[in-house]
Amino acid sequence: MRLTSKGRYAVTAMLDLAFHSQLKPVTLIDIAARQTISLSYLEQLFARLRRANLVKGVRGPGGGYSLCGDAHNISIAEIVAAVGERIDSTKCGGEANCQKTHECLTHDLWMDLGDHVKSYLEKITLADLLAKNRVQEVAERQDQHAQQTIEIHNHADLMHTLQ
Amino acid sequence: MRLTSKGRYAVTAMLDLAFHSQLKPVTLIDIAARQTISLSYLEQLFARLRRANLVKGVRGPGGGYSLCGDAHNISIAEIVAAVGERIDSTKCGGEANCQKTHECLTHDLWMDLGDHVKSYLEKITLADLLAKNRVQEVAERQDQHAQQTIEIHNHADLMHTLQ
DNA sequence: ACTTAACCCAGTAAGTTAGTCAACTATTAC
DNA sequence: GTAATAGTTGACTAACTTACTGGGTTAAGT
């Protein structure tokens, strides 16, 4: 089992998408700024998410990414799997050949743990997370902060053109 | 969350110990042979297990390792924690400062997942695993195979001294 | 003394993570 | 048509971890 920043970034970005892409596509630049994730790294993750048919990209001005389908139908397990994070903890990957031809002493333990975690993450959808108060609060805080950043940025641009 | 061979080896070795160290200490050489784990790597893991007071070592001939206390009181979570595997999946380690001063969008999700897995592993003890039929079967198979290996080894030694 | 086996420490090849950089393509707006 | 936007692709890399090897020291039994 290996659940690192890769999966965390992917789920966070997808949740940001679910929150902001109701009306129009969201650019990775915006997501990167709001969630403080490297843009280039996000691009790599979204390449995988696109291949897994979880998001669709729209090119050109006004483009960006939107969810493929409804937030109710996208589970955390799917997102995590799409970017290649292994939930399984066995050595053999479920093949039961962890000790040469046979299973190892703890094979069943790790199988059970893997199943447990998998079903836990399968039961949680993006819509479930979106419905939580805490998530709404954090998202709104991030929007405000991002708005401020844009204003500072515009101000800097203005000062620059005036000089 | 990161559950790799390190934790798997540690739990497997501890289970082997629980199975074999009823009468006298078990050497790491035996465990390494039965569970096909590198001896030197096992030594490193047992250094940590010893520091965590999960096993005690006895030096000299007839020495080896035994469990500290009863198998009913040693949980998988303790073993995994002793060798330094993080069950937590958050960026911040529970500090809720994943995004500079505040929590990130998915902080609660990873906290809940971590708690879930932790309590799952806390509820399973070495004695629980030992009671399972499958575990008994695998352990007995390993004992037979190890016995064969010793016989082959002795035979080779005999042939060597005869020459 | 000699053997056994725990104990300790330094080093290391291979793999992964998280990231950068650079180029290319499709789409829209002017 | 041309510039700007934004997705798409691929090569490359510093830092880190894992799993492992090897060499040595110390304590205990025979």
Side-chain angles (χ1 to χ4, degrees):
Chain A
M1 175 147 358
R2 194 163 257 169
L3 222 37
T4 66
S5 298
K6 202 196 288 187
R8 209 165 46 228
Y9 285 169
V11 175
T12 305
M14 287 292 282
L15 191 53
D16 184 288
L17 213 56
F19 189 79
H20 291 98
S21 72
Q22 316 282 28
L23 302 168
K24 61 191 179 75
V26 175
T27 67
L28 292 189
I29 297 174
D30 285 354
I31 299 180
R34 272 193 297 262
Q35 308 304 333
T36 50
I37 303 175
S38 142
L39 174 60
S40 303
Y41 196 45
L42 264 187
E43 284 171 355
Q44 287 180 45
L45 297 180
F46 271 76
R48 287 172 179 257
L49 293 172
R50 200 171 54 87
R51 265 175 249 143
N53 271 331
L54 293 177
V55 298
K56 52 174 179 284
V58 180
R59 295 184 178 205
Y65 283 97
S66 319
L67 292 184
C68 258
D70 197 90
H72 286 92
N73 297 325
I74 301 178
S75 73
I76 307 305
E78 283 177 276
I79 300 171
V80 164
V83 295
E85 299 268 69
R86 276 190 61 191
I87 342 110
D88 180 41
S89 293
T90 60
K91 177 183 188 175
C92 55
E95 307 262 293
N97 56 356
C98 359
Q99 198 164 26
K100 293 176 186 171
T101 51
H102 294 76
E103 55 188 335
C104 72
L105 245 196
T106 49
H107 175 79
D108 289 356
L109 171 66
W110 308 121
M111 284 294 283
D112 292 348
L113 174 63
D115 290 345
H116 199 69
V117 172
K118 201 179 161 201
S119 81
Y120 180 80
L121 294 180
E122 273 169 353
K123 282 188 195 112
I124 304 176
T125 67
L126 284 181
D128 292 336
L129 295 183
L130 220 50
K132 290 181 189 289
N133 286 337
R134 291 271 300 242
V135 172
Q136 291 282 335
E137 283 167 27
V138 173
E140 279 159 22
R141 192 196 74 221
Q142 288 175 339
D143 279 353
Q144 282 172 20
H145 185 267
Q147 192 54 40
Q148 284 171 20
T149 311
I150 290 165
E151 277 164 15
I152 290 164
H153 183 257
N154 288 347
H155 182 71
D157 277 359
L158 180 65
M159 295 305 283
H160 186 258
T161 37
L162 285 177
Q163 279 172 3
Chain B
M1 174 145 0
R2 194 163 259 171
L3 223 38
T4 66
S5 298
K6 201 195 286 186
R8 210 166 44 229
Y9 285 167
V11 174
T12 305
M14 286 293 282
L15 191 54
D16 183 288
L17 212 57
F19 189 80
H20 291 99
S21 72
Q22 317 279 28
L23 303 168
K24 59 189 179 79
V26 175
T27 67
L28 292 190
I29 296 174
D30 285 354
I31 300 181
R34 272 193 296 262
Q35 308 305 332
T36 50
I37 303 174
S38 144
L39 173 60
S40 304
Y41 196 46
L42 263 188
E43 283 175 354
Q44 289 178 41
L45 297 180
F46 271 76
R48 287 171 178 258
L49 293 171
R50 200 171 53 86
R51 266 175 249 142
N53 273 331
L54 293 178
V55 297
K56 52 173 179 284
V58 179
R59 294 184 179 205
Y65 283 97
S66 320
L67 292 185
C68 259
D70 197 87
H72 285 93
N73 297 325
I74 301 177
S75 72
I76 307 304
E78 283 176 277
I79 300 171
V80 163
V83 295
E85 299 267 68
R86 277 189 61 192
I87 343 110
D88 180 41
S89 292
T90 61
K91 177 184 188 176
C92 55
E95 306 262 294
N97 55 356
C98 0
Q99 196 165 26
K100 294 174 184 172
T101 51
H102 294 76
E103 54 187 337
C104 72
L105 245 196
T106 49
H107 175 78
D108 288 356
L109 172 66
W110 308 120
M111 284 294 283
D112 291 348
L113 174 63
D115 290 346
H116 198 70
V117 172
K118 201 179 161 200
S119 80
Y120 180 80
L121 293 180
E122 273 169 354
K123 282 187 195 113
I124 303 176
T125 68
L126 283 181
D128 293 335
L129 295 183
L130 219 50
K132 290 183 190 285
N133 286 337
R134 291 271 298 243
V135 171
Q136 291 282 336
E137 284 167 26
V138 172
E140 279 159 22
R141 191 196 75 222
Q142 288 175 340
D143 279 352
Q144 282 173 20
H145 185 266
Q147 194 53 39
Q148 282 171 22
T149 311
I150 290 163
E151 276 164 17
I152 289 164
H153 184 259
N154 288 347
H155 182 70
D157 277 358
L158 180 64
M159 294 306 282
H160 185 258
T161 37
L162 285 177
Q163 279 172 5

